[in-house]
Amino acid sequence: MVSSILAKDQNVLIVGAGLFGLSTALHLAQDGYNNITVIDKESLPNSCSAGNDLNKIVRAEYEDPFYTGLALNAIQEWQTPFWSAYYRSTGYLLTTSLNAPQKACDTIKKSFASIKDHPSIPPGSFSAVDNANDIKEYVPMLVGKMEGWSGYFNRYAGYVRAAKALKYTEMMCLKLGVKFVTGDNGSTKPTHTVLCVGAYIGTLLPSITTQVIAKSWAVAHIQLSPNEAAGMKGCPVVNCRDLGFFFEPDDDTGLIKLSANGAGYTNTVSAAGKSASVPICVNDGMPKEDEELIRRLIQETMPQFSGKELLNKFICWCGDTSDSNYIIDFVPDTEGLLVVAGDSGHAFKMLPVAGKWVERALEKGRQSIERWKWKNTTKGSHEISWRVGKVKDIKDVELSTSKGQV
Ligand code: FSA
């Protein structure tokens, strides 16, 4: 038992009610901390939060076994009665398409190697797929040509209904006495402040922008009729590394969420001789080139839907670090200010467990896990080992907007 420097009644202020903020509030409240306040600019989920999304991938294959372990813990939690209403264990098909860049193929090999013989994963969870026929054997609802597709199918994975899971976490926090303040009202005198504002961290804490770069990825949806949705039900998350990924239709709405894969878009701005990427919350529009990727993904996998309009297009902002490690540490030269940032586009699955990591740092008064420390020397990088393509600035690409919103 590690002794804690944090008293149960100390006033902890959590700024930002996304996955990191809510998970932190939940873990603290569950462990008896009784003076927790969460503030956010908007009522939840904040429309600009990355977690305000229909669904997010849950998978444990990582190039780095440290995160494999954490994701496996998270998957176990998602399957417990506390969380299971929000988890769908559909499995995860990870592939490349014909002419995919070598980097995409290498990434898949590394992912597969990291997980295929893992002792914590039920035997028989993985099957290699070498062509479209193999894929159709495991995922019969994919009727497209998928020419040159190969990769593997992971049955020990799935997705979560993200925005709904955030609302649920908020509700559980409220039950445990966590206070929520939205908008600009309310004042509090915290002894500890935890900044959990996702990709927006650079706007609150400019000194972090050498480590965290705000980058965005495009999201769109297609509307299925009840019959069409029934035909796609149970489809695993399909992630084609060089095109994009999609999920089974949403139970309530029949919407399929799709996202384009790529290196991400920055929004670099300059002030006082310094430049940094900061998010712009675009709720209607996506880069045209990503729209093409998504259209190809639909054509390859479910061509019967290729005439459908892309709806509710937006770009989702993440905070990227050069090595995809999160940052969970006290900000140097401040008193009681902890930052949780650098989600690097792979954090939502950790909702059930992330708050525990933050709680430990708060209780110890320091971060003892090297990889999560604040790094003065690191420069945020554009070359991320598991992503394909080149980073571009969002101002340099043409956007296409939705004709109809859903
Ligand atoms: O943990 C996951 O597999 C989430 S990946 C989703 C994604 O859109 C990435 O494909 C993208 O590269 C970026 O990291 C944002 O998140």
Side-chain angles (χ1 to χ4, degrees):
M1 180 78 187
V2 183
S3 69
S4 171
I5 62 156
L6 194 68
K8 295 287 180 191
D9 62 352
Q10 253 170 330
N11 187 341
V12 179
L13 176 69
I14 297 169
V15 183
L19 96 99
F20 280 132
L22 288 175
S23 184
T24 301
L26 181 69
H27 278 274
L28 288 170
Q30 283 176 332
D31 288 343
Y33 292 96
N34 56 28
N35 199 355
I36 312 296
T37 306
V38 179
I39 60 170
D40 202 286
K41 276 200 303 199
E42 287 183 20
S43 57
L44 310 194
N46 185 319
S47 59
C48 295
S49 161
N52 181 31
D53 205 350
L54 203 54
N55 29 49
K56 295 281 190 201
I57 298 174
V58 176
R59 47 95 195 182
E61 47 268 71
Y62 272 91
E63 291 176 8
D64 181 340
F66 175 78
Y67 286 99
T68 299
L70 298 179
L72 286 173
N73 292 343
I75 292 176
Q76 270 168 10
E77 284 298 317
W78 282 114
Q79 296 179 99
T80 61
F82 188 90
W83 292 104
S84 63
Y86 302 92
Y87 180 56
R88 298 285 188 273
S89 56
T90 53
Y92 179 52
L93 177 72
L94 188 62
T95 70
T96 46
S97 74
L98 191 69
N99 302 328
Q102 191 55 42
K103 189 178 175 191
C105 306
D106 294 346
T107 295
I108 291 199
K109 283 190 197 121
K110 281 191 250 173
S111 290
F112 195 30
S114 82
I115 201 140
K116 70 179 175 26
D117 300 317
H118 201 289
S120 308
I121 297 181
S125 292
F126 298 95
S127 300
V129 292
D130 292 330
N131 52 49
N133 283 342
D134 287 356
I135 294 175
K136 287 173 185 175
E137 190 183 327
Y138 305 121
V139 194
M141 55 285 276
L142 298 184
V143 296
K145 289 201 175 116
M146 295 177 284
E147 202 190 331
W149 281 43
S150 64
Y152 67 92
F153 179 42
N154 171 4
R155 295 170 184 82
Y156 195 67
Y159 72 94
V160 284
R161 306 181 86 193
K164 285 190 162 68
L166 286 181
K167 280 303 283 179
Y168 167 73
T169 313
E170 177 196 21
M171 188 187 80
M172 297 315 279
C173 285
L174 281 165
K175 277 194 181 165
L176 290 166
V178 173
K179 296 178 271 301
F180 282 83
V181 179
T182 52
D184 292 327
N185 32 22
S187 65
T188 171
K189 290 215 183 325
T191 55
H192 289 80
T193 301
V194 187
L195 295 178
C196 303
V197 296
Y200 292 78
I201 190 63
T203 59
L204 276 188
L205 191 65
S207 59
I208 207 168
T209 55
T210 54
Q211 300 171 74
V212 180
I213 300 182
K215 290 182 200 161
S216 56
W217 283 268
V219 176
H221 304 78
I222 53 173
Q223 179 69 64
L224 267 50
S225 69
N227 264 346
E228 292 166 339
M232 290 302 289
K233 188 149 180 60
C235 183
V237 180
V238 176
N239 189 356
C240 178
R241 274 261 167 245
D242 48 309
L243 295 179
F245 57 91
F246 65 88
F247 301 79
E248 71 169 340
D250 181 58
D251 279 351
D252 301 331
T253 60
L255 286 169
I256 285 187
K257 173 192 150 178
L258 305 106
S259 180
N261 274 330
Y265 299 93
T266 53
N267 176 45
T268 303
V269 293
S270 300
K274 293 195 169 157
S275 68
S277 175
V278 293
I280 27 166
C281 186
V282 175
N283 282 325
D284 180 23
M286 67 191 283
K288 279 203 164 150
E289 56 195 33
D290 282 350
E291 181 153 339
E292 274 164 34
L293 285 179
I294 287 177
R295 291 232 166 265
R296 270 175 53 205
L297 178 64
I298 296 172
Q299 180 62 38
E300 293 269 351
T301 53
M302 32 184 192
Q304 70 276 29
F305 303 139
S306 53
K308 287 196 185 277
E309 192 182 342
L310 294 184
L311 302 167
N312 199 11
K313 302 182 232 181
F314 66 93
I315 51 173
C316 174
W317 288 89
C318 300
D320 240 24
T321 60
S322 56
D323 53 8
S324 297
N325 274 313
Y326 313 137
I327 298 169
I328 305 174
D329 201 0
F330 288 89
V331 178
D333 306 321
T334 63
E335 188 85 6
L337 181 64
L338 188 106
V339 63
V340 187
D343 61 88
S344 301
H346 65 92
F348 198 90
K349 66 176 78 62
M350 307 293 188
L351 175 68
V353 293
K356 186 58 89 191
W357 317 329
V358 183
E359 184 182 343
R360 275 192 209 123
L362 280 169
E363 289 180 335
K364 282 188 184 167
R366 65 190 169 82
Q367 178 54 274
S368 54
I369 299 173
E370 205 54 39
R371 64 176 71 233
W372 286 344
K373 284 187 178 167
W374 179 278
K375 297 174 197 84
N376 284 318
T377 50
T378 309
K379 270 260 166 237
S381 166
H382 279 204
E383 184 53 41
I384 305 298
S385 66
W386 53 287
R387 298 215 181 93
V388 293
K390 283 225 163 330
V391 174
K392 294 181 185 168
D393 199 88
I394 196 78
K395 296 185 286 306
D396 298 333
V397 295
E398 210 181 330
L399 295 185
S400 88
T401 53
S402 302
K403 282 198 218 100
Q405 289 288 301
V406 287

